[in-house]
Amino acid sequence: MSQRASQGISRPALYILLVVVSVGGLFLGLRFQIENVSTQFSQSFELEMRATAEEDFLREFVVEVPVAILSLTSEMDQIIITYWALGGLITGDRIVDLSEWRDQFDSIEIRGFFLPGEYSVEVSITDRILRLEFSP
């Protein structure tokens, strides 16, 4: 048996293994952080929307949009919060369900441009359309 074969893993292979394990660990940590931030945003946004519903959808509140939030869209009586990072390797949706108040509106319209930062959200119902206007 050669002396090289009895030494085990070569240094370049060991370095590659360390890099792969490190990158994998960073990816998992980032994924956890992004999911955590988007969940916190979704929960606070849902609490604000529920408080707004109690005031007949005539209210203004402030939200802090984190980096992980890509878009807010609507579908029927739900607001869909989509997060996206690392070129689509980390993605997901959170849903704010407003079906309890469906008798007050027919559709949801969301306006605004979403970059990280603080936004004022003006909520109103006009012509049976629930409108959310985000402004910096």
Side-chain angles (χ1 to χ4, degrees):
M1 186 185 272
S2 73
Q3 186 178 18
R4 190 163 185 93
S6 66
Q7 289 179 344
I9 298 177
S10 67
R11 280 191 176 187
L14 183 60
Y15 292 146
I16 290 171
L17 181 62
L18 285 173
V19 167
V20 168
V21 169
S22 297
V23 169
L26 288 172
F27 177 80
L28 290 175
L30 182 61
R31 179 184 193 108
F32 176 76
Q33 180 66 20
I34 289 171
E35 288 175 354
N36 188 34
V37 166
S38 63
T39 298
Q40 288 175 353
F41 173 81
S42 300
Q43 290 172 343
S44 67
F45 186 77
E46 183 169 11
L47 287 173
E48 290 290 351
M49 286 304 298
R50 289 187 172 281
T52 301
E54 298 300 324
E55 296 179 16
D56 295 324
F57 292 105
L58 292 171
R59 187 168 179 243
E60 189 171 322
F61 59 90
V62 174
V63 294
E64 181 74 29
V65 176
V67 175
I69 302 304
L70 177 67
S71 67
L72 279 87
T73 56
S74 64
E75 187 175 299
M76 302 278 293
D77 50 6
Q78 298 177 333
I79 297 172
I80 301 165
I81 301 166
T82 302
Y83 63 92
W84 184 87
L86 291 179
L89 291 175
I90 301 173
T91 61
D93 293 325
R94 301 284 187 246
I95 295 175
V96 176
D97 186 16
L98 300 175
S99 58
E100 295 174 47
W101 298 280
R102 181 69 175 157
D103 61 331
Q104 296 183 34
F105 58 88
D106 294 327
S107 63
I108 301 172
E109 182 180 286
I110 301 172
R111 294 185 190 165
F113 188 66
F114 304 105
L115 290 174
E118 189 174 278
Y119 288 84
S120 174
V121 183
E122 185 178 325
V123 182
S124 63
I125 294 181
T126 308
D127 299 327
R128 296 202 43 90
I129 299 172
L130 175 61
R131 299 180 196 276
L132 285 81
E133 181 82 35
F134 286 75
S135 32

